[in-house]
Amino acid sequence: MASSNNAPSLGRCGGFIAERLQDAFHLPARRTSVPEARRRALAVLHEWGAAQQVRDDAELVVSELFTNAVRHTDSDKVACELTLLGAFLRVEVTDQGRGASAPHVQPGSVDKECGRGLFLVGALSETWGVRPDPTGRGRTVWADLPYGRATH
């Protein structure tokens, strides 16, 4: 079973203490895991009180990054981490690597059925990028999305 770490922590931010929310899970690297990754991310963001737009954007970003990790690597499992960093939600998806190339936006991808994922990630996020995972075997694709709380 995949693990989850919904652990708030406290940290100093200027003259006040800010809560840092974080959750992580991993799932088998199968197409059937993509809907589960979306469901888990949405449940966490709902629990954190994220605005509907944040949940919608994060759902799409998680779906695209998780799908890419499953489709373009020969990973056994894929990890997803959500972290609230001030005014941004960081979404990170880590694979075990062994893919043909690093993720990148495909030229002309807007008009193609396949290949629009990273274009959409870039459009929804303030910034995004790719870095080697801590083991050096895989890679982490991350995106920082503007974060807002739901108004009730």
Side-chain angles (χ1 to χ4, degrees), residues 31-145:
R31 286 189 344 223
T32 56
S33 294
V34 175
E36 177 66 11
R38 284 193 304 260
R39 186 194 67 73
R40 286 181 183 226
L42 285 174
V44 166
L45 293 173
H46 187 276
E47 181 180 315
W48 291 354
Q52 184 64 50
Q53 187 65 52
V54 173
R55 295 192 314 256
D56 291 346
D57 291 351
E59 178 182 26
L60 181 60
V61 168
V62 167
S63 184
E64 294 298 339
L65 297 183
F66 211 93
T67 297
N68 284 350
V70 169
R71 182 179 287 169
H72 299 295
T73 72
D74 63 351
S75 301
D76 295 320
K77 67 180 179 177
V78 177
C80 182
E81 185 171 310
L82 304 171
T83 307
L84 185 56
L85 301 168
F88 294 97
L89 170 68
R90 173 155 292 179
V91 176
E92 296 184 344
V93 174
T94 302
D95 62 47
Q96 294 171 311
R98 303 184 297 267
S101 65
H104 60 281
V105 175
Q106 298 288 328
S109 61
V110 175
D111 299 324
K112 295 179 183 176
E113 180 65 27
C114 192
R116 285 188 280 206
L118 290 177
F119 178 81
L120 293 172
V121 169
L124 294 172
S125 63
E126 184 74 22
T127 186
W128 71 277
V130 182
R131 68 174 185 272
D133 84 331
T135 69
R137 288 185 29 214
R139 67 189 71 127
T140 298
V141 183
W142 56 270
D144 289 341
L145 306 172

